[in-house]
């Protein structure tokens, strides 16, 4: 039996997930219904559109379309196509002066061409292409737009995804994207792996002296607060029995990361912030991180997190 939610935020998160699932299920069912309508319309048989009438390129132009029994070119000896009388013409002028059926006239000079009626190439003289079921196309387009804006319109936030994207971007700058996935990694910050010049790195992300000289796990380099990085690196280099309970044992870094990635009260990068993802002012501390690691946080970090939390309409940080 599922465990009931223990907090308002957890309850709200579950409701959001369920609402999103129901919405997507209805969208999928509607999409299948529209696709089946289009398939049935196609199986009924739609005539292929015919080519549009265009003026021929030779020097002579007919008043109407050239009949099928007349030649389309002008060789030295001209013969009609199959089904026409077997008549040979010794010259172009002899063929040109031959009477044409149904009163059709052919012209062999540019002056005569100028007097021809204009033909609109934008008009199709064959069967017009059939646009199948315009209302279905409109509904499909509306469905696609609604799916692409689902998160924006319903304000569904994915803090874990946004946090991972930002962390990997910073790790890519430091050249340690692979190392942060290795739990046993323990090294000093390597300036030679930087993918951009050190001067171009935001000031709050530049390595401190502790990062350059004390071995540590590379995941600590991702944090946007220099003071927090320094305190945590120093802590994890202390003997195990001197550390707080939460920071003891070989998997202490894993416990730290699990707290950061808590979906409701871990680290969060605010979508309402006014800076890029590496700006510490858009990073918010959640209750889980605050409860276990409060001693590593400056008052400025806590104040900024409370500002972002107030913008989201959630309570301020407090030790329970």
């Amino acid at each position: 039996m599922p465990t009931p939610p223990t907090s308002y935020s957890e309850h709200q998160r579950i409701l959001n997930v369920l609402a999103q699932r129901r919405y997507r299920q209805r969208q999928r069912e509607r999409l299948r219904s529209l696709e089946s309508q289009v398939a049935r319309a196609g199986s009924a048989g739609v005539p292929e559109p015919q080519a549009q009438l265009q003026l021929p390129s030779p020097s002579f132009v007919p008043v109407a379309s050239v009949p099928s029994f007349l030649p389309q070119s002008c060789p030295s000896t001209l013969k009609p196509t199959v089904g026409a009388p077997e008549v040979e013409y010794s010259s172009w002028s002899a063929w040109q002066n031959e009477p044409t059926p149904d009163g059709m006239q052919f012209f062999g000079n540019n002056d005569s061409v100028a007097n021809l009626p204009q033909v609109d190439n934008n008009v199709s003289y064959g069967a017009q292409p059939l646009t199948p079921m315009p209302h279905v196309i409109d509904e499909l387009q509306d469905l696609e737009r609604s799916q692409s804006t689902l998160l924006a319109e319903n304000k569904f936030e994915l803090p874990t995804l946004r946090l991972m994207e930002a962390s990997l971007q910073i790790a890519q700058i430091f050249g340690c994207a692979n190392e942060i996935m290795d739990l046993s990694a323990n090294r000093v910050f390597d300036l030679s792996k930087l993918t951009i010049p050190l001067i171009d790195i935001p000031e709050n992300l530049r390595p401190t002296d502790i990062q350059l000289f004390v071995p540590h796990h590379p995941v600590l380099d991702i944090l946007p607060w220099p003071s927090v990085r320094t305190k945590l690196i120093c802590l994890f280099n202390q003997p195990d029995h001197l550390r707080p309970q939460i920071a003891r044992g070989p998997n202490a870094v894993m416990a730290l990361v699990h707290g950061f990635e808590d979906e409701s009260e871990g680290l969060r990068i605010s979508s309402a912030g006014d800076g890029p993802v590496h700006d510490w002012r858009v990073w918010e501390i959640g209750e889980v991180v605050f409860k276990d690691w409060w001693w590593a946080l400056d008052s400025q970090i806590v104040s900024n997190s409370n500002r972002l939390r107030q913008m989201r309409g959630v309570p301020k940080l407090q030790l329970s």
Side-chain angles (χ1 to χ4, degrees):
M1 177 178 298
T3 303
T6 58
S7 64
Y8 172 79
S9 59
E10 179 68 11
H11 178 72
Q12 192 68 25
R13 184 187 69 82
I14 293 175
L15 290 180
N16 284 341
V17 171
L18 293 177
Q20 187 176 10
R21 288 178 181 174
R22 287 195 297 270
Y23 180 85
R24 288 179 174 172
Q25 179 63 27
R26 289 195 298 268
Q27 296 292 69
R28 284 193 294 267
E29 293 173 355
R30 184 57 183 159
L31 180 59
R32 286 194 293 267
S33 174
L34 294 174
E35 288 176 343
S36 63
Q37 293 182 42
V38 174
R40 286 195 298 270
S43 61
V46 179
E48 292 292 333
Q50 297 182 3
Q52 293 183 345
L53 176 65
Q54 295 182 353
L55 290 174
S57 57
S59 61
F60 69 93
V61 181
V63 175
S65 300
V66 180
S68 60
F69 62 83
L70 291 180
Q72 303 296 322
S73 59
C74 305
S76 57
T77 302
L78 300 172
K79 288 187 178 183
T81 57
V82 177
E86 294 291 336
V87 179
E88 295 188 1
Y89 300 95
S90 58
S91 67
W92 161 246
S93 59
W95 182 86
Q96 185 184 21
N97 296 327
E98 182 71 17
T100 58
D102 301 328
M104 294 181 63
Q105 297 179 357
F106 287 83
F107 305 95
N109 57 70
N110 293 332
D111 295 336
S112 300
V113 172
N115 297 324
L116 287 175
Q118 298 297 318
V119 178
D120 189 355
N121 287 336
N122 294 322
V123 177
S124 175
Y125 295 89
Q128 296 295 328
L130 179 61
T131 302
M133 307 168 66
H135 69 283
V136 174
I137 295 179
D138 292 340
E139 288 194 43
L140 286 172
Q141 291 175 345
D142 292 341
L143 180 62
E144 181 179 357
R145 284 193 295 268
S146 66
Q147 289 177 337
S148 63
T149 58
L150 172 63
L151 294 179
E153 293 178 354
N154 294 277
K155 297 183 179 179
F156 289 132
E157 293 188 5
L158 300 175
T160 302
L161 177 61
R162 187 167 171 81
L163 176 64
M164 180 173 294
E165 289 177 345
S167 300
L168 290 177
Q169 289 178 21
I170 298 174
Q172 189 68 34
I173 294 176
F174 294 159
C176 63
N178 294 327
E179 293 179 340
I180 62 174
M181 301 301 178
D182 183 3
L183 184 60
S184 63
N186 189 44
R187 87 291 179 269
V188 296
F189 192 101
D190 190 350
L191 293 175
S192 65
K193 292 185 177 181
L194 293 178
T195 58
I196 62 175
L198 180 62
I199 194 174
D200 293 334
I201 296 178
E203 186 175 357
N204 64 298
L205 290 181
R206 294 176 188 174
T208 64
D209 291 341
I210 292 294
Q211 289 176 259
L212 293 173
F213 295 105
V214 179
H216 57 279
H217 193 279
V219 75
L220 301 179
D221 296 329
I222 306 301
L223 300 177
W225 310 285
S227 62
V228 176
R229 297 196 300 266
T230 296
K231 291 177 182 178
L232 291 178
I233 292 174
C234 292
L235 172 70
F236 286 116
N237 276 272
Q238 298 301 313
D240 196 70
H241 67 280
L242 295 180
R243 305 180 199 171
Q245 186 64 38
I246 189 65
R248 294 179 183 177
N251 296 327
V253 173
M254 181 186 297
L256 175 67
V257 173
H258 286 173
F260 290 164
E261 295 179 347
D262 186 88
E263 190 170 347
S264 58
E265 289 293 343
L267 290 184
R268 178 187 294 260
I269 299 179
S270 174
S271 58
D274 53 358
V277 295
H278 57 73
D279 188 346
W280 68 270
R281 288 168 293 188
V282 301
W283 286 63
E284 175 191 324
I285 296 293
E287 287 281 2
V288 171
V289 179
F290 184 64
K291 176 175 65 70
D292 293 333
W293 306 94
W294 60 268
W295 48 269
L297 306 175
D298 296 340
S299 59
Q300 190 178 26
I301 299 174
V302 177
S303 298
N304 182 73
S305 296
N306 284 332
R307 176 183 66 86
L308 297 175
R309 292 173 68 84
Q310 185 177 8
M311 293 173 61
R312 293 198 295 119
V314 297
K316 294 183 178 181
L317 297 171
Q318 58 184 355
L319 291 175
S320 55

